mmCIF file of all heavy atoms in Angstrom:
data_model
loop_
_atom_site.group_PDB
_atom_site.id
_atom_site.type_symbol
_atom_site.label_atom_id
_atom_site.label_comp_id
_atom_site.label_asym_id
_atom_site.label_seq_id
_atom_site.Cartn_x
_atom_site.Cartn_y
_atom_site.Cartn_z
ATOM 1 N N ASP A 210 -247.129 -122.449 65.906
ATOM 2 C CA ASP A 210 -246.751 -122.986 67.345
ATOM 3 C C ASP A 210 -245.479 -122.250 67.801
ATOM 4 O O ASP A 210 -244.844 -122.712 68.854
ATOM 5 C CB ASP A 210 -246.519 -124.389 67.342
ATOM 6 C CG ASP A 210 -245.609 -124.823 66.247
ATOM 7 O OD1 ASP A 210 -245.185 -124.133 65.414
ATOM 8 O OD2 ASP A 210 -245.050 -126.019 66.216
ATOM 9 N N MET A 211 -245.108 -121.240 67.170
ATOM 10 C CA MET A 211 -243.780 -120.485 67.665
ATOM 11 C C MET A 211 -244.031 -119.842 69.009
ATOM 12 O O MET A 211 -245.143 -119.203 69.376
ATOM 13 C CB MET A 211 -243.558 -119.300 66.629
ATOM 14 C CG MET A 211 -242.178 -118.589 66.890
ATOM 15 S SD MET A 211 -241.820 -117.239 65.865
ATOM 16 C CE MET A 211 -241.165 -118.206 64.533
ATOM 17 N N THR A 212 -243.054 -120.035 69.843
ATOM 18 C CA THR A 212 -243.210 -119.502 71.197
ATOM 19 C C THR A 212 -242.488 -118.060 71.197
ATOM 20 O O THR A 212 -241.749 -117.706 70.200
ATOM 21 C CB THR A 212 -242.184 -120.347 72.158
ATOM 22 O OG1 THR A 212 -240.896 -120.304 71.732
ATOM 23 C CG2 THR A 212 -242.791 -121.758 72.186
ATOM 24 N N LEU A 213 -242.727 -117.328 72.272
ATOM 25 C CA LEU A 213 -242.219 -115.867 72.259
ATOM 26 C C LEU A 213 -240.733 -116.034 72.363
ATOM 27 O O LEU A 213 -240.061 -115.105 71.637
ATOM 28 C CB LEU A 213 -242.780 -115.316 73.618
ATOM 29 C CG LEU A 213 -242.307 -113.924 73.800
ATOM 30 C CD1 LEU A 213 -242.898 -113.008 72.708
ATOM 31 C CD2 LEU A 213 -242.835 -113.314 75.189
ATOM 32 N N THR A 214 -240.055 -116.900 72.954
ATOM 33 C CA THR A 214 -238.521 -117.049 72.976
ATOM 34 C C THR A 214 -238.093 -117.341 71.529
ATOM 35 O O THR A 214 -237.027 -116.699 71.211
ATOM 36 C CB THR A 214 -238.127 -118.245 73.910
ATOM 37 O OG1 THR A 214 -238.681 -118.134 75.153
ATOM 38 C CG2 THR A 214 -236.681 -118.287 73.930
ATOM 39 N N GLU A 215 -238.783 -118.166 70.799
ATOM 40 C CA GLU A 215 -238.252 -118.435 69.358
ATOM 41 C C GLU A 215 -238.490 -117.136 68.429
ATOM 42 O O GLU A 215 -237.564 -116.877 67.716
ATOM 43 C CB GLU A 215 -239.091 -119.603 68.777
ATOM 44 C CG GLU A 215 -238.741 -121.014 69.387
ATOM 45 C CD GLU A 215 -239.666 -122.089 69.080
ATOM 46 O OE1 GLU A 215 -240.844 -121.713 68.693
ATOM 47 O OE2 GLU A 215 -239.284 -123.190 69.124
ATOM 48 N N PHE A 216 -239.514 -116.506 68.752
ATOM 49 C CA PHE A 216 -239.752 -115.246 67.988
ATOM 50 C C PHE A 216 -238.807 -114.148 68.326
ATOM 51 O O PHE A 216 -238.290 -113.423 67.490
ATOM 52 C CB PHE A 216 -241.160 -114.636 68.336
ATOM 53 C CG PHE A 216 -241.436 -113.321 67.749
ATOM 54 C CD1 PHE A 216 -241.637 -113.129 66.388
ATOM 55 C CD2 PHE A 216 -241.318 -112.118 68.450
ATOM 56 C CE1 PHE A 216 -241.943 -111.911 65.835
ATOM 57 C CE2 PHE A 216 -241.557 -110.861 68.026
ATOM 58 C CZ PHE A 216 -241.803 -110.773 66.525
ATOM 59 N N LYS A 217 -238.354 -114.004 69.595
ATOM 60 C CA LYS A 217 -237.428 -113.114 70.113
ATOM 61 C C LYS A 217 -235.991 -113.463 69.306
ATOM 62 O O LYS A 217 -235.287 -112.443 68.923
ATOM 63 C CB LYS A 217 -237.127 -113.134 71.582
ATOM 64 C CG LYS A 217 -238.292 -112.367 72.371
ATOM 65 C CD LYS A 217 -238.107 -112.402 73.851
ATOM 66 C CE LYS A 217 -239.105 -111.712 74.643
ATOM 67 N NZ LYS A 217 -238.775 -111.704 76.092
ATOM 68 N N PHE A 218 -235.718 -114.654 69.243
ATOM 69 C CA PHE A 218 -234.441 -115.109 68.565
ATOM 70 C C PHE A 218 -234.450 -114.560 67.110
ATOM 71 O O PHE A 218 -233.382 -113.922 66.775
ATOM 72 C CB PHE A 218 -234.243 -116.542 68.596
ATOM 73 C CG PHE A 218 -233.014 -117.046 67.851
ATOM 74 C CD1 PHE A 218 -231.839 -116.823 68.331
ATOM 75 C CD2 PHE A 218 -233.140 -117.699 66.602
ATOM 76 C CE1 PHE A 218 -230.641 -117.401 67.817
ATOM 77 C CE2 PHE A 218 -232.041 -118.137 65.900
ATOM 78 C CZ PHE A 218 -230.775 -117.998 66.527
ATOM 79 N N ILE A 219 -235.491 -114.848 66.394
ATOM 80 C CA ILE A 219 -235.498 -114.325 64.985
ATOM 81 C C ILE A 219 -235.531 -112.749 65.009
ATOM 82 O O ILE A 219 -234.770 -112.066 64.170
ATOM 83 C CB ILE A 219 -236.874 -114.876 64.318
ATOM 84 C CG1 ILE A 219 -236.565 -116.382 64.161
ATOM 85 C CG2 ILE A 219 -237.014 -114.067 62.904
ATOM 86 C CD1 ILE A 219 -237.965 -116.947 63.621
ATOM 87 N N TRP A 220 -236.301 -112.215 65.899
ATOM 88 C CA TRP A 220 -236.352 -110.692 65.900
ATOM 89 C C TRP A 220 -235.003 -110.128 66.179
ATOM 90 O O TRP A 220 -234.596 -109.137 65.568
ATOM 91 C CB TRP A 220 -237.343 -110.247 67.045
ATOM 92 C CG TRP A 220 -237.689 -108.752 66.918
ATOM 93 C CD1 TRP A 220 -238.746 -108.243 66.397
ATOM 94 C CD2 TRP A 220 -236.980 -107.724 67.723
ATOM 95 N NE1 TRP A 220 -238.648 -106.821 66.592
ATOM 96 C CE2 TRP A 220 -237.597 -106.408 67.363
ATOM 97 C CE3 TRP A 220 -235.895 -107.686 68.625
ATOM 98 C CZ2 TRP A 220 -237.233 -105.282 68.002
ATOM 99 C CZ3 TRP A 220 -235.492 -106.472 69.111
ATOM 100 C CH2 TRP A 220 -236.212 -105.326 68.819
ATOM 101 N N TYR A 221 -234.275 -110.573 67.172
ATOM 102 C CA TYR A 221 -232.969 -110.037 67.505
ATOM 103 C C TYR A 221 -231.925 -110.217 66.370
ATOM 104 O O TYR A 221 -230.994 -109.356 66.184
ATOM 105 C CB TYR A 221 -232.349 -110.615 68.785
ATOM 106 C CG TYR A 221 -233.013 -109.891 70.037
ATOM 107 C CD1 TYR A 221 -233.804 -110.682 70.926
ATOM 108 C CD2 TYR A 221 -232.742 -108.598 70.355
ATOM 109 C CE1 TYR A 221 -234.318 -110.018 71.964
ATOM 110 C CE2 TYR A 221 -233.260 -107.847 71.387
ATOM 111 C CZ TYR A 221 -234.087 -108.741 72.238
ATOM 112 O OH TYR A 221 -234.603 -108.041 73.356
ATOM 113 N N MET A 222 -232.057 -111.325 65.561
ATOM 114 C CA MET A 222 -231.131 -111.527 64.484
ATOM 115 C C MET A 222 -231.401 -110.320 63.507
ATOM 116 O O MET A 222 -230.456 -109.763 62.972
ATOM 117 C CB MET A 222 -231.473 -112.867 63.854
ATOM 118 C CG MET A 222 -230.855 -114.091 64.599
ATOM 119 S SD MET A 222 -231.168 -115.580 63.609
ATOM 120 C CE MET A 222 -230.302 -115.353 62.205
ATOM 121 N N GLU A 223 -232.680 -110.202 63.100
ATOM 122 C CA GLU A 223 -233.155 -109.158 62.182
ATOM 123 C C GLU A 223 -232.641 -107.660 62.721
ATOM 124 O O GLU A 223 -232.114 -106.973 62.041
ATOM 125 C CB GLU A 223 -234.533 -109.200 61.916
ATOM 126 C CG GLU A 223 -235.160 -107.977 60.943
ATOM 127 C CD GLU A 223 -234.466 -108.070 59.625
ATOM 128 O OE1 GLU A 223 -234.058 -109.085 59.172
ATOM 129 O OE2 GLU A 223 -234.567 -106.951 58.847
ATOM 130 N N TYR A 224 -232.927 -107.565 63.943
ATOM 131 C CA TYR A 224 -232.603 -106.190 64.599
ATOM 132 C C TYR A 224 -231.011 -105.981 64.676
ATOM 133 O O TYR A 224 -230.646 -104.834 64.368
ATOM 134 C CB TYR A 224 -233.190 -106.158 66.019
ATOM 135 C CG TYR A 224 -232.891 -104.756 66.691
ATOM 136 C CD1 TYR A 224 -233.652 -103.724 66.513
ATOM 137 C CD2 TYR A 224 -231.928 -104.726 67.754
ATOM 138 C CE1 TYR A 224 -233.458 -102.487 67.226
ATOM 139 C CE2 TYR A 224 -231.613 -103.564 68.317
ATOM 140 C CZ TYR A 224 -232.409 -102.425 68.087
ATOM 141 O OH TYR A 224 -232.211 -101.177 68.766
ATOM 142 N N SER A 225 -230.244 -106.942 64.943
ATOM 143 C CA SER A 225 -228.811 -106.839 64.954
ATOM 144 C C SER A 225 -228.196 -106.647 63.446
ATOM 145 O O SER A 225 -227.401 -105.783 63.354
ATOM 146 C CB SER A 225 -228.167 -108.216 65.515
ATOM 147 O OG SER A 225 -228.719 -108.409 66.797
ATOM 148 N N HIS A 226 -228.894 -107.161 62.516
ATOM 149 C CA HIS A 226 -228.347 -106.995 61.189
ATOM 150 C C HIS A 226 -228.752 -105.462 60.742
ATOM 151 O O HIS A 226 -227.854 -104.885 60.111
ATOM 152 C CB HIS A 226 -229.261 -107.957 60.196
ATOM 153 C CG HIS A 226 -228.907 -107.707 58.747
ATOM 154 N ND1 HIS A 226 -227.695 -108.105 58.234
ATOM 155 C CD2 HIS A 226 -229.599 -107.300 57.786
ATOM 156 C CE1 HIS A 226 -227.663 -107.820 57.029
ATOM 157 N NE2 HIS A 226 -228.770 -107.316 56.670
ATOM 158 N N ARG A 227 -229.898 -104.981 61.142
ATOM 159 C CA ARG A 227 -230.247 -103.638 60.776
ATOM 160 C C ARG A 227 -229.213 -102.663 61.491
ATOM 161 O O ARG A 227 -228.668 -101.753 60.897
ATOM 162 C CB ARG A 227 -231.698 -103.273 61.134
ATOM 163 C CG ARG A 227 -232.621 -104.041 60.287
ATOM 164 C CD ARG A 227 -234.026 -103.586 60.567
ATOM 165 N NE ARG A 227 -235.003 -104.389 59.915
ATOM 166 C CZ ARG A 227 -236.279 -103.829 59.664
ATOM 167 N NH1 ARG A 227 -236.636 -102.683 60.139
ATOM 168 N NH2 ARG A 227 -237.205 -104.663 59.066
ATOM 169 N N MET A 228 -228.982 -102.937 62.819
ATOM 170 C CA MET A 228 -228.205 -102.000 63.551
ATOM 171 C C MET A 228 -226.786 -102.015 63.148
ATOM 172 O O MET A 228 -226.039 -101.059 63.011
ATOM 173 C CB MET A 228 -228.253 -102.381 65.114
ATOM 174 C CG MET A 228 -229.597 -102.099 65.821
ATOM 175 S SD MET A 228 -230.105 -100.428 65.717
ATOM 176 C CE MET A 228 -231.303 -100.436 64.576
ATOM 177 N N TRP A 229 -226.248 -103.339 62.751
ATOM 178 C CA TRP A 229 -224.861 -103.452 62.128
ATOM 179 C C TRP A 229 -224.671 -102.680 60.990
ATOM 180 O O TRP A 229 -223.771 -102.016 60.622
ATOM 181 C CB TRP A 229 -224.520 -104.941 62.185
ATOM 182 C CG TRP A 229 -223.197 -105.210 61.706
ATOM 183 C CD1 TRP A 229 -222.718 -105.586 60.418
ATOM 184 C CD2 TRP A 229 -222.012 -105.004 62.569
ATOM 185 N NE1 TRP A 229 -221.283 -105.685 60.463
ATOM 186 C CE2 TRP A 229 -220.910 -105.279 61.638
ATOM 187 C CE3 TRP A 229 -221.777 -104.589 63.774
ATOM 188 C CZ2 TRP A 229 -219.620 -105.262 62.151
ATOM 189 C CZ3 TRP A 229 -220.519 -104.583 64.337
ATOM 190 C CH2 TRP A 229 -219.422 -104.939 63.498
ATOM 191 N N GLY A 230 -225.732 -102.802 60.049
ATOM 192 C CA GLY A 230 -225.680 -102.099 58.890
ATOM 193 C C GLY A 230 -225.647 -100.479 58.977
ATOM 194 O O GLY A 230 -224.939 -99.836 58.290
ATOM 195 N N ARG A 231 -226.372 -100.040 59.920
ATOM 196 C CA ARG A 231 -226.362 -98.562 60.281
ATOM 197 C C ARG A 231 -224.990 -98.173 60.847
ATOM 198 O O ARG A 231 -224.538 -97.066 60.625
ATOM 199 C CB ARG A 231 -227.485 -98.222 61.293
ATOM 200 C CG ARG A 231 -228.818 -98.255 60.588
ATOM 201 C CD ARG A 231 -230.013 -98.346 61.541
ATOM 202 N NE ARG A 231 -231.260 -98.453 60.898
ATOM 203 C CZ ARG A 231 -232.340 -98.806 61.396
ATOM 204 N NH1 ARG A 231 -232.514 -98.946 62.735
ATOM 205 N NH2 ARG A 231 -233.479 -98.939 60.728
ATOM 206 N N VAL A 232 -224.439 -98.993 61.730
ATOM 207 C CA VAL A 232 -223.054 -98.769 62.273
ATOM 208 C C VAL A 232 -222.021 -98.686 61.227
ATOM 209 O O VAL A 232 -221.102 -97.813 61.137
ATOM 210 C CB VAL A 232 -222.767 -99.864 63.249
ATOM 211 C CG1 VAL A 232 -221.236 -99.665 63.716
ATOM 212 C CG2 VAL A 232 -223.538 -99.502 64.595
ATOM 213 N N VAL A 233 -222.112 -99.659 60.204
ATOM 214 C CA VAL A 233 -221.157 -99.684 59.073
ATOM 215 C C VAL A 233 -221.335 -98.465 58.293
ATOM 216 O O VAL A 233 -220.395 -97.837 57.866
ATOM 217 C CB VAL A 233 -221.461 -100.858 58.211
ATOM 218 C CG1 VAL A 233 -220.687 -100.853 56.882
ATOM 219 C CG2 VAL A 233 -221.036 -102.304 58.952
ATOM 220 N N GLY A 234 -222.579 -98.025 58.013
ATOM 221 C CA GLY A 234 -222.793 -96.832 57.265
ATOM 222 C C GLY A 234 -222.169 -95.469 57.955
ATOM 223 O O GLY A 234 -221.580 -94.830 57.319
ATOM 224 N N LEU A 235 -222.388 -95.426 59.294
ATOM 225 C CA LEU A 235 -221.891 -94.385 59.955
ATOM 226 C C LEU A 235 -220.370 -94.363 60.023
ATOM 227 O O LEU A 235 -219.671 -93.358 60.045
ATOM 228 C CB LEU A 235 -222.455 -94.266 61.388
ATOM 229 C CG LEU A 235 -223.883 -93.911 61.580
ATOM 230 C CD1 LEU A 235 -224.216 -94.047 62.927
ATOM 231 C CD2 LEU A 235 -224.029 -92.413 61.142
ATOM 232 N N ALA A 236 -219.790 -95.531 60.165
ATOM 233 C CA ALA A 236 -218.315 -95.744 60.243
ATOM 234 C C ALA A 236 -217.634 -95.369 58.887
ATOM 235 O O ALA A 236 -216.460 -94.998 58.929
ATOM 236 C CB ALA A 236 -218.005 -97.184 60.625
ATOM 237 N N TYR A 237 -218.568 -95.343 57.951
ATOM 238 C CA TYR A 237 -217.868 -94.833 56.558
ATOM 239 C C TYR A 237 -218.165 -93.381 56.380
ATOM 240 O O TYR A 237 -217.195 -92.666 56.064
ATOM 241 C CB TYR A 237 -218.521 -95.618 55.463
ATOM 242 C CG TYR A 237 -217.908 -95.181 54.073
ATOM 243 C CD1 TYR A 237 -216.624 -95.491 53.639
ATOM 244 C CD2 TYR A 237 -218.689 -94.287 53.343
ATOM 245 C CE1 TYR A 237 -216.131 -95.034 52.482
ATOM 246 C CE2 TYR A 237 -218.086 -93.747 52.121
ATOM 247 C CZ TYR A 237 -216.954 -94.147 51.791
ATOM 248 O OH TYR A 237 -216.393 -93.674 50.643
ATOM 249 N N ILE A 238 -219.316 -92.964 56.596
ATOM 250 C CA ILE A 238 -219.751 -91.618 56.203
ATOM 251 C C ILE A 238 -219.196 -90.520 57.117
ATOM 252 O O ILE A 238 -218.695 -89.547 56.615
ATOM 253 C CB ILE A 238 -221.374 -91.546 56.225
ATOM 254 C CG1 ILE A 238 -221.870 -92.435 55.081
ATOM 255 C CG2 ILE A 238 -221.892 -90.043 55.985
ATOM 256 C CD1 ILE A 238 -223.441 -92.473 55.103
#
């Protein structure tokens, strides 16, 4: 019964985590 809005919330959490990890990597390398 998950709505599209609820799915987007989870998706953006995961996407933000990945992007933040890549930014941290670039900020170091």
Side-chain angles (χ1 to χ4, degrees):
D210 56 346
M211 179 180 283
T212 65
L213 183 60
T214 302
E215 290 170 336
F216 172 77
K217 283 182 177 181
F218 176 74
I219 294 174
W220 188 90
Y221 277 118
M222 283 182 65
E223 174 65 20
Y224 181 76
S225 300
H226 179 68
R227 293 185 185 203
M228 291 301 107
W229 184 252
R231 288 165 185 165
V232 168
V233 169
L235 290 174
Y237 178 79
I238 293 172

